[in-house]
Amino acid sequence: MGKDGKETPFCQSNKCSCVVFLLIVGGVAAVVCVTLLVKDLRSIYDHDGGGESEAPWWKKTIIYQIYPRSFQDSDGDGVGDLQGIISRLWYFNYLNVGAIWLSPFFTSPMKDFGYDVSNYTEVDPLFGDMDDFDNLIKEAKSKGIKVIIDFVPNHTSNESSWFDLSRHAADESDPYWNFYIWNEGTTNPDGSRSPPDNWKSVFEGSAWEWDDVRKAYYYHAFLSSQPDLNYRNEHVLEKIDEVIRFWMDKGVDGLRIDAIPHLFEIANQSIDEPAGASNGFDENLHKYIKNQPEIFKVVKRWRAILDTYEAADGTSRFLLAETVGIPHEARMNYYKAGSVPFFFNLIPAKEKCGATATCFLEIIRDGMNLTEGQWPNFVIGNHDNKRIADRMGDVNVDAMNMMLLTLPGTPTTYYGEELGMRGGDYTGMTPKDPYAITSNNAENSRDSERNPMQWNDTLNAGFSNSTTGTWLPIQPNTDYMHINVEVERNLDNSSLNLYRKLAELRQKEAFQNANIEFPESVSDVLVYVRGVEGDRYAVALNFGEAKHGIDITKLGYTKGTLVLSTKSEKDKTIDLSNIQLDKGEGFIVHLDE
Ligand code: NOJ
Ligand code: MG
């Protein structure tokens, strides 16, 4: 009651204001709590990234892989470098690409061209110095380009100071004693030594190499000059954490984790692998030296480090795992640990299932076989596999790029594929690739796909002004006089211009979610629909051997307008019941609904 005896309207007394105030404060607090909780859940399941109001950057962009040796040489020594990359950053804006991934540029004796790191926190002089790297980050940021770097935790170079300390460690009291995986092996009746088991390296025979200083064998999943670190040792984990923080502090936006399935081997080193477990990259037979469950705890640990950076500035950090030869269950576990495992199965499509439309449909279904919150990704080339033109023929390159850029999820493009570059034909030349050398098989050589980027039709295709040659020469078979950035820029229907248009188109909301509709089956032409309500697109790609007609009305749409084609025509109305596609032709139709 008020002083005058009248009823005070609700809440005009001091006491009441107090209650309302408390209610408001409580309400705001509750909203804040719920928001934080939702944000928390989202970052656990989705890694959508701290405060970003929309999808994180890595869900929206194409990732473009740069092999630094081969992209652009700035100092004329015939090997690409960081200054070279800086001078070409404009190209990514031009391409509509928002993120680059740099293969290793760290100090290295280059036995595996940088995947043998001797110092994780230095730039190899061949590529420049730390100021160059800082400038690269600064320049990339100013152009809105995210930078992902390669992170090679499984092994170091045998020239790493850590390895030296480990070989010379006297006993267990030395923190470096167990930094690598040492085993004294067995002594034969004649006094000679043998490795403890039959484990094989990816690149050559036994995975064990005798070290005369330590008087023990060390394990190496790859070259004998790439000893594996021992992830059962907390010191190793701590040192590697520091490496991650070092690069995160420098402002990198993500890491591509090299060779992660090899991070652990079983602890009991006297158990042999099953018969049939082989050397080589692509096998899945390894029971004891690949895909061990301990991996995921370590990935989570690294994710947690990245999360602290996300939390500090609200921008996602991307963790991309190089997962060659993993079973489906492991793939799920990489997601659960907060990384995105590369889905590589489109790369071997030709050899595995003939690269027919049915084959691609199967692979894509598999790639999309994910659960809520797991973001898809597709990749069609890299520095370990033949270029698309060499695997699939020149005729299919544009359709392959069209497929890559219209599939759901994050696509990764290997440099030069946007031009339809062919790999260099180095037959007759002594291979540079250590894999070809140690396996004594030129067929294993990865030199071809590492050929220099073709910028124009001048000396060394504009890659370098060296007059004494480039680390891998530009070969006549690449037709670099015609297949290069400068020529293709000025050609309306070039691979390059198609790529740019695709990259622009995929920025539409219609291509930015994980929705895709397929028919039950396909015959010679791969077809699928992408889009959102009111803005849908049919993509049709002929990977067959001849021209084919198709009827795609069974997808429920009858008409549409051509928006992009591997041929130059567009804007014409298309009758979806009768589409004729040439071999290697692909198109995208905006559907009438
Ligand atoms: C995978 C890399 O992609 C490959 O190029 C390298 O040789 C091995 N890891 C060893 O580091
Ligand atoms: Mg290992």
Side-chain angles (χ1 to χ4, degrees), residues 222-527:
F222 296 91
L223 297 172
S224 57
S225 54
Q226 293 170 299
D228 273 45
L229 286 163
N230 175 14
Y231 277 86
R232 292 203 168 80
N233 181 340
E234 184 60 27
H235 292 304
V236 170
L237 285 157
E238 282 163 15
K239 282 281 185 193
I240 292 293
D241 289 354
E242 281 171 23
V243 172
I244 296 179
R245 288 200 196 91
F246 177 88
W247 292 105
M248 288 294 138
D249 287 341
K250 290 238 160 246
V252 311
D253 300 287
L255 302 173
R256 173 262 189 194
I257 316 172
D258 183 71
I260 184 77
H262 298 271
L263 209 67
F264 284 88
E265 303 72 36
I266 52 162
N268 183 345
Q269 292 157 355
S270 54
I271 302 180
D272 274 349
E273 283 245 281
S278 55
N279 297 112
F281 262 104
D282 201 23
E283 31 46 50
N284 215 341
L285 294 165
H286 293 292
K287 202 168 164 192
Y288 302 129
I289 60 173
K290 259 186 101 173
N291 300 326
Q292 300 302 304
E294 291 90 339
I295 294 171
F296 307 107
K297 207 173 147 204
V298 179
V299 176
K300 271 190 201 148
R301 175 184 177 120
W302 295 337
R303 176 74 250 173
I305 299 177
L306 266 55
D307 284 348
T308 60
Y309 287 83
E310 277 193 22
D313 65 12
T315 305
S316 284
R317 302 300 194 281
F318 194 32
L319 196 55
L320 190 57
E322 192 220 8
T323 44
V324 178
I326 57 160
H328 183 74
E329 192 195 342
R331 196 168 148 225
M332 297 294 105
N333 287 330
Y334 282 103
Y335 275 113
K336 285 184 201 145
S339 65
V340 171
F342 259 129
F343 183 73
F344 286 119
N345 298 11
L346 288 173
I347 296 179
K350 187 81 181 181
E351 39 182 304
K352 293 235 166 104
C353 53
T356 57
T358 310
C359 161
F360 279 122
L361 185 62
E362 282 304 302
I363 298 171
I364 294 164
R365 272 195 219 280
D366 187 19
M368 296 301 300
N369 183 11
L370 301 171
T371 58
E372 182 127 21
Q374 298 179 340
W375 184 246
N377 79 91
F378 289 95
V379 49
I380 56 177
N382 61 29
H383 62 295
D384 294 328
N385 290 281
K386 293 269 172 289
R387 286 192 175 275
I388 302 164
D390 299 317
R391 253 184 290 138
M392 304 271 305
D394 290 331
V395 68
N396 286 309
V397 172
D398 288 342
M400 285 294 283
N401 281 334
M402 185 172 272
M403 176 173 74
L404 178 72
L405 300 194
T406 56
L407 285 176
T410 303
T412 304
T413 288
Y414 183 54
Y415 77 94
E417 295 296 10
E418 71 283 11
L419 306 172
M421 254 174 72
R422 300 173 190 156
D425 178 0
Y426 299 121
T427 5
M429 190 186 94
T430 309
K432 306 245 179 208
D433 180 14
Y435 181 25
I437 297 167
T438 56
S439 62
N440 199 15
N441 183 355
E443 300 252 305
N444 285 337
S445 175
R446 296 167 295 175
D447 291 343
S448 170
E449 58 266 27
R450 297 172 178 181
N451 58 335
M453 175 72 174
Q454 291 161 194
W455 294 101
N456 54 45
D457 61 9
T458 65
L459 176 72
N460 302 318
F463 159 69
S464 166
N465 58 18
S466 164
T467 47
T468 52
T470 54
W471 85 279
L472 280 170
I474 285 123
Q475 299 295 79
N477 78 293
T478 59
D479 191 14
Y480 79 92
M481 298 295 280
H482 300 105
I483 303 176
N484 67 56
V485 174
E486 203 49 49
V487 166
E488 294 194 30
R489 267 181 98 154
N490 299 311
L491 258 184
D492 191 44
N493 64 346
S494 63
S495 296
L496 177 62
N497 274 318
L498 175 71
Y499 187 95
R500 293 178 58 224
K501 288 176 205 155
L502 286 164
E504 195 184 347
L505 182 71
R506 74 179 301 287
Q507 290 170 353
K508 279 180 172 277
E509 201 198 336
F511 292 95
Q512 295 276 316
N513 55 37
N515 301 339
I516 182 165
E517 293 171 55
F518 306 113
E520 276 295 296
S521 63
V522 288
S523 52
D524 294 298
V525 176
L526 175 65
V527 55

